[in-house]
Amino acid sequence: MRRTGGKGARPPHELAAHELTGPRAAIDLPSVISYATSKGIGVFLYVNRLALTDADPLFALYKSWGVQGVKLGFINDGTQAMTNRITDWAKAAAEYELLIDMHDDVRPFGHERTFPNYVSLEGVRGNEQFPTATHNVTLPFARNIGGPMDCTICYGQSRNRTTNAHQMAMAAVY
C-alpha cells in the first residue's frame, strides 16, 4: 500500500482512493511476494482502512498475488458501525482465504472464535506510544486474557523507554 510521509507528503485523508490502493512504482510487489513464497514465507500486507471502501476487489487482487493475509490499520473501534465493518472485512477476507490481523484500537470481542482467519488484534496501548517496561510486562497477564495480541515492536527508537533487548523479548512473549 502507498505510504505517506516525507517532504511534501499529504495526510492519508487527503489522498484519492487510487493513491491508497496502488502499489509504489519502485516496488514490484508481486515479485517480492513470489520470492517470499518460494522461500516458504507468507506475506501479510498492511492496509490503511481508507483503502477498504470495497474490500472484495482489493482482497481478490492480493489473493491473486499470493498474499497470505492483511493487517488492517487506522481502525477506530467503539461504534456499532465500525464493529459491523470489522465483521464484514473478516468475512470478506475469509472468502478470499486471507488471514486478518486488526491493528489499533480494536477491543477483543471473540471474533477470532467466529472467524478462524481472524488471527490477532492489537487492543493495547501500543509501542507507538512508547510505554514503560512495567506496562509491557503486565500485558501478557492482563490483555492476553482477552485473546491474541498484536503489538508493534520498535527497535532502536530514541524515544523508547525500554532497551532493544526488551523489545526483542516482547516479540517472543506476546
Side-chain angles (χ1 to χ4, degrees):
M1 299 314 320
R2 186 170 299 260
R3 293 185 49 137
T4 59
K7 189 175 181 178
R10 293 175 290 151
H13 68 275
E14 292 180 8
L15 297 173
H18 73 277
E19 293 178 284
L20 293 169
T21 58
R24 300 186 109 191
I27 301 172
D28 181 358
L29 199 50
S31 291
V32 170
I33 295 164
S34 177
Y35 177 77
T37 301
S38 76
K39 301 296 181 185
I41 299 168
V43 174
F44 265 66
L45 295 180
Y46 179 87
V47 180
N48 181 320
R49 79 173 160 81
L50 297 175
L52 285 169
T53 54
D54 187 0
D56 283 308
L58 192 62
F59 290 171
L61 175 66
Y62 290 168
K63 181 66 176 175
S64 75
W65 286 352
V67 169
Q68 295 298 303
V70 292
K71 179 175 183 169
L72 305 182
F74 292 98
I75 308 300
N76 301 312
D77 189 20
T79 66
Q80 186 62 55
M82 183 52 77
T83 300
N84 292 342
R85 289 188 76 191
I86 290 168
T87 301
D88 291 343
W89 292 329
K91 287 178 184 176
E95 288 176 24
Y96 292 97
E97 299 177 346
L98 295 173
L99 299 173
I100 190 167
D101 174 16
M102 201 64 64
H103 195 59
D104 298 315
D105 188 21
V106 178
R107 293 150 199 82
F109 53 96
H111 270 54
E112 68 278 2
R113 289 187 302 268
T114 304
F115 302 102
N117 65 312
Y118 195 107
V119 294
S120 187
L121 62 150
E122 187 174 22
V124 299
R125 181 175 182 216
N127 230 18
E128 302 91 337
Q129 304 298 316
F130 301 98
T132 64
T134 301
H135 172 82
N136 291 337
V137 299
T138 304
L139 291 176
F141 305 102
R143 165 57 185 84
N144 280 116
I145 291 172
M149 180 180 71
D150 164 23
C151 186
T152 302
I153 308 301
C154 297
Y155 300 105
Q157 298 267 337
S158 62
R159 299 179 293 167
N160 272 352
R161 297 167 68 187
T162 63
T163 65
N164 284 339
H166 177 98
Q167 294 292 312
M168 290 190 326
M170 286 171 46
V173 171
Y174 295 164

